[in-house]
Amino acid sequence: MDKKIKPRLPLTREQIELRQKMLGEVGRSDYKAVSFRLTGTLTVTPLPEYGDIFTLMEEDFRDVTTVKKPFRELRTAAEEAAEKKFCNAGGATIGRIYDILAKSAKLTPFGRDKLMKRECELAVHFTFARGFGKELFDEAKRTKKKIIIVADTIYPRNVVVRILSACGYEQADELVVPSELKGSVTDHKALYDAILAKAGVAPAKLLHIGGDVEADVETPIMNGSKALLLSGTIPLMVKSGRLRGYVQAKHVYDYDEPEYLALHGAFGIYAAYLFDVPMSKSPQSDFCASEYMLGFIVGGAVRAAGIRPKDKTQAMLLEALAESSEAARGMEDMDRLFHFHFDGHLEKYGYKDCDMPLRFFAEHSAVGDRAILQSRLDPTDFAAWTEGTKEPKLAPIHARSVKRSFTAKLADRLFPPGTKVRNIADGMLVKMKGGKP
């Protein structure tokens, strides 16, 4: 990553203390080996939703088949089938997934291999080093620890090696690929044993770092090693406030449609860069009480997408953000990072709803976030804005989108959830089912 476009977010006191504590733990002489989970700990991606890469492959898919179903749908189903079929034999791998996909999509061997190669290329292209994960890795290397990386991914060893090289982790000493173990994907003890064997040290001399509480913290500790939890950037972003839940409520069933890829990307960049070093949610704020973060996602997303404000309130807020040096830097950094990662990839899909963070802020802002801009707004305008805000509807965030049949999706468009007609219809269905929703 070009240093000129790295985000310029100052760390909070709590983040500085956490960073120093974790770096200090990695550097302790007690440990002779440090192991890292790859995905989410050492690497991140600006495409945060499961299946975003599959959407980018739709044209590639059309070149090798006459099947009409969307590639994302078929590719997702193939992975789910592979996960179920091979759960006790190393889990889903990209080869196993594409074997199943070849049958459902009627692919020739050439078409299967071409699509599989394309997915691997995109995975390498869009993966980059998590800033704090790289700091921890470099500290382990500086203090001469043996480093083991656990490649928890569907991709084969040769693709993982390319990712490690692209992200600056080529100096790792050992690589553990869970799918090569051939056991159950839920057997965390077997994976720990493989890590320990690669480390070649006593359990007490091993420190493991990852984002899964059970696999990366409880299992090592229960077997005599030490562990550090480094939470994933996407869950941290989701928990930081109401914004992502608001977007989910608006797009419960259609968020995986291609026209929302740019919105996905804005959230992916927001998570990967601004939630790199974990931070706690701030009271009465959806943006960690940070002017920079407010500018980054609220103003930066519309700037990157080239969207104009739709009303007086939005225009007023964007102007106030531009007058704040911190918020203005955030807007500029999001714009530059967005184009750095996505130029040439998202233009054909458009930038639909990239103004949702701005709409959320205009209509549902928390009291702490309004206070950030109060001094920059006319008192009358500020009072009108405050009086017009209300609590947003929120929906839970799922790792994979909620499945809906074509009929259900059509019903959602004709009679949106929450409308009077839809509520009456849903009530009638509940009664017909004997009171069960």
Side-chain angles (χ1 to χ4, degrees):
M1 172 61 66
D2 186 339
K3 291 182 179 180
K4 294 181 181 178
I5 58 174
K6 283 186 177 180
R8 296 162 284 180
L9 172 67
L11 298 181
T12 65
R13 179 176 58 82
E14 290 78 8
Q15 286 179 297
I16 292 172
E17 290 176 354
L18 174 63
R19 177 178 173 274
Q20 292 174 339
K21 182 177 180 180
M22 292 186 71
L23 287 170
E25 188 70 15
V26 169
R28 282 177 52 179
S29 60
D30 306 39
Y31 308 124
K32 301 303 179 184
V34 180
S35 54
F36 295 89
R37 182 174 291 271
L38 178 64
T39 306
T41 303
L42 292 181
T43 62
V44 286
T45 170
L47 291 171
E49 302 299 321
Y50 170 82
D52 282 343
I53 284 181
F54 311 152
T55 299
L56 293 174
M57 295 175 61
E58 191 66 38
E59 290 185 6
D60 301 283
F61 181 61
R62 294 294 150 217
D63 289 340
V64 296
T65 187
T66 58
V67 172
K68 300 301 182 183
K69 286 186 177 181
F71 177 68
R72 181 171 185 148
E73 179 182 331
L74 292 167
R75 172 61 180 76
T76 299
E79 182 160 350
E80 290 173 348
E83 287 171 348
K84 183 177 181 180
K85 182 176 181 180
F86 298 104
C87 65
N88 293 315
T93 64
I94 194 167
R96 289 168 170 176
I97 292 167
Y98 273 83
D99 285 343
I100 294 172
L101 178 65
K103 294 179 181 179
S104 62
K106 300 179 181 179
L107 298 174
T108 64
F110 171 80
R112 171 197 177 277
D113 293 346
K114 182 177 180 181
L115 286 175
M116 187 166 66
K117 180 181 178 181
R118 178 59 175 160
E119 181 176 335
C120 291
E121 290 173 347
L122 288 171
V124 174
H125 176 78
F126 282 111
T127 301
F128 61 99
R130 178 175 179 175
F132 188 36
K134 186 63 165 58
E135 281 192 76
L136 295 170
F137 178 93
D138 289 343
E139 179 63 13
K141 200 67 186 177
R142 187 188 71 80
T143 52
K144 304 187 185 308
K145 307 293 192 298
K146 186 173 185 179
I147 299 177
I148 304 93
I149 292 179
V150 181
D152 54 330
T153 173
I154 62 170
Y155 300 110
R157 180 176 287 268
N158 66 314
V159 174
V160 173
V161 169
R162 288 168 59 195
I163 290 173
L164 295 179
S165 178
C167 294
Y169 296 120
E170 64 272 17
Q171 291 185 316
D173 298 291
E174 299 286 352
L175 179 62
V176 174
V177 181
S179 62
E180 295 177 354
L181 302 180
K182 306 300 182 183
S184 170
V185 294
T186 60
D187 190 350
H188 302 315
K189 176 61 164 59
L191 180 58
Y192 167 80
D193 289 342
I195 295 169
L196 191 65
K198 291 285 188 181
V201 299
K205 299 294 183 181
L206 171 68
L207 174 67
H208 181 72
I209 304 173
D212 185 290
V213 173
E214 183 178 357
D216 297 320
V217 178
E218 292 178 355
T219 299
I221 290 176
M222 291 294 290
N223 288 279
S225 295
K226 297 294 178 65
L228 292 177
L229 179 69
L230 181 57
S231 298
T233 59
I234 294 173
L236 288 169
M237 180 268 292
V238 169
K239 294 175 182 177
S240 68
R242 301 169 298 166
L243 174 58
R244 186 62 183 81
Y246 160 81
V247 171
Q248 192 67 31
K250 297 289 186 180
H251 296 295
V252 175
Y253 304 121
D254 66 349
Y255 195 55
D256 59 353
E257 295 297 324
E259 59 261 39
Y260 301 115
L261 267 180
L263 181 59
H264 296 187
F267 277 117
I269 290 171
Y270 183 46
Y273 287 99
L274 301 199
F275 294 89
D276 176 28
V277 179
M279 68 174 71
S280 300
K281 177 179 174 10
S282 299
Q284 299 182 318
S285 172
D286 294 302
F287 305 96
C288 301
S290 166
E291 288 184 69
Y292 180 92
M293 296 178 77
L294 186 60
F296 192 95
I297 188 62
V298 171
V302 293
R303 177 181 290 190
I307 298 176
R308 295 180 178 275
K310 292 183 171 59
D311 56 38
K312 178 182 176 181
T313 300
Q314 291 185 9
M316 174 187 72
L317 295 176
L318 287 176
E319 184 177 345
L321 287 170
E323 291 174 356
S324 160
S325 59
E326 281 291 298
R329 290 194 302 106
M331 293 168 68
E332 178 186 349
D333 286 349
M334 163 60 95
D335 187 21
R336 297 171 71 189
L337 285 165
F338 187 92
H339 290 290
F340 174 84
H341 284 286
F342 295 125
D343 271 359
H345 292 280
L346 302 185
E347 289 82 357
K348 61 185 174 183
Y349 302 105
Y351 301 94
K352 188 174 182 179
D353 278 2
C354 282
D355 61 344
M356 286 194 78
L358 174 59
R359 283 151 49 192
F360 169 83
F361 186 53
E363 299 168 15
H364 309 290
S365 56
V367 61
D369 297 321
R370 290 197 297 272
I372 290 175
L373 296 185
Q374 184 171 4
S375 64
R376 296 186 174 86
L377 298 175
D378 176 86
T380 302
D381 290 337
F382 180 78
W385 174 38
T386 300
E387 291 173 5
T389 59
K390 57 185 178 181
E391 282 295 314
K393 290 184 178 180
L394 307 176
I397 314 302
H398 302 283
R400 295 189 183 182
S401 59
V402 179
K403 291 183 178 180
R404 298 286 281 175
S405 66
F406 172 79
T407 303
K409 290 183 178 180
L410 179 61
D412 289 335
R413 293 183 184 277
L414 294 175
F415 310 108
T419 61
K420 185 176 181 179
V421 174
R422 181 58 177 271
N423 289 338
I424 292 172
D426 286 346
M428 292 175 63
L429 287 173
V430 169
K431 289 181 180 179
M432 292 171 64
K433 294 179 180 180
K436 295 180 180 180

